[in-house]
Amino acid sequence: MFKPQTIALIQATVPLLKSRGEDITRHFYRAMLTDHPELKAFFNEAHQAEGTQARALAGAVLAYASHIDRVHELAPALPRIIQKHVALGVQPAHYPIVGACLLDAIREVLGADVATDEIIAAWAEAYGALAQLLIDAEEQVYAATAALPGGWRGQRAMVVARKERESELITSFYLQPVDGGPLPPFQPGQYLTLVLHIAGRTVRRNYSLSDAPGKAWYRVSIKREDGGLVSNWMHDTAEVGTRLDVQAPAGEFTLDAAATRPLVLVTGGVGITPAMAMLESTAASGRPIRFIHAARHGGVHAFRERVDLLAATHGNVEALYVYDAPRDGDEPHEVGYVTDALLARHLPEDRDVDLYLLGPKPFMQAVYRAGRSLGIPTTQLRYEFFGPAEELVGA
C-alpha cells in the first residue's frame, strides 16, 4: 500500500508516539478547535476535559503507525470509527482540516529537527490514505441509510411527542418526524445524535435508543449529568412539542439477533438504556434472557416496572436488581455489587452465554474481569466503551 521509504519513516516515529502521543493529540485538539471553532460541535466537551478523547486518538495514531506495513490488521477497529463519524455527520471536507492540524501538531510538539520534512511527508501520505478509506466507507453508510424505508441523510427535524420521567435522574423522550413520514429500522444497541442549538452554540450528543425498533417513534432516555449542557437542557427546557434536529441511527455495538445461546444483559446506571432496546426486541423470542441491573437505590433505578412486566409476561426473561445503597422500602434482589460470586450464582454452569455489559467505566471494568474469571470467552463479552480498550480490559 505504501512505499518502503514511507513505511520506514512512519515506523521510526513509533517510539516517539509511545512517549509523546498524548502531547501531540492534546496540542492537536487545542489548536484545531481554536482555529476552526465550527468543528467544536463535533466534539464532547466532557471527553475533552477528561482527556479521554486525546488518549483515544493517541492510541489510534500509535496503532496505525505500528501497523503501517500491515494495515489490514486494523480492519476490525474501523467500523466503530466509521459509525461514530456517520452519527456525527462528518463530511469529506473535514478531513483536510484534521490532517493539516495533525501534521502541524506532530511538527510543533516533536520539533522540526525530529519531525523533518521527510517525516511529515510520510505522515501526510499515510493520513491521506486513511482519510480516503474512511470517506469512501462513510459514503457507503450514508447512502445505505438514506435508501432504507423512511431513511434520510443529514439532519431530520423531529418533535418531542412524549416526555416521561423514568427515575430521579433519567427521563425518556419520544421523538417523531415533523414531516409525518415513517422511521427506518435500527439495530438494538444503536444510538441517535441530537443536533441542538443552545445559548448560541451548536452541539451534538449521542444517546442510545432505548425502545425496540419498528415503532412510530424513536425513544432516547437521558440521564441528567451534573453540569451537563445538553442533558440539563433536555430535562429542563425540552418539552412536548419541542423540535430537535436528529441524525439517523448509527453505531456498531448491536445485539446479535441471530445468536441462540442465553443472553445476559448486565447494566449499571444509565447503561440500562441500550439494554432496554435489546430486551424489548428479544423478550418474545423465547431466547433465555437474564437481565441484571445495578443501581445505587430504587430512586435512580429506571425502567423497573417495565422490566418486571416483561419478566412476568415472558417466562424466558429473568430480572435481577442489585443496589449498593438501598433506601428504606427498596426491594433489591441483592445488596452490594456485581461481583464474580454474584454472577456465578446467576449464570449457567457451562458459562456459554452472550454477555453484554454497559455502564460507568469502573462498573464495566469489574464486570469484564468477573466474566473473564468465570471463563466466558472474550468473543462472548460485548461492550461499548469510549477510550482505549486497554483501559477496560487491562490488555
Side-chain angles (χ1 to χ4, degrees), residues 3 20 24 29 34 67 74 86 135 151 156-157 204 208 225 267 286 308 322-324 339 356 364 370 380 385:
K3 299 188 295 291
R20 303 294 305 280
I24 293 170
Y29 280 121
T34 298
H67 292 78
L74 297 176
V86 167
I135 289 169
R156 187 175 183 183
R204 287 169 165 80
S208 296
E225 301 285 356
T267 63
D308 284 345
V322 185
Y323 296 172
D324 63 269
T339 63
Y356 290 73
M364 292 179 66
Q380 292 169 216
F385 179 71

Side-chain angles (χ1 to χ4, degrees), residues 4 29 33 59-60 66 85 99 136 150 162 177 193-194 200 228 236 253 281 284 289:
Y29 280 121
L33 297 180
S66 301
H85 286 184
D136 293 344
R162 287 163 58 192
T193 299
L194 307 186
D236 297 336
F253 174 73
S281 64
I289 302 171

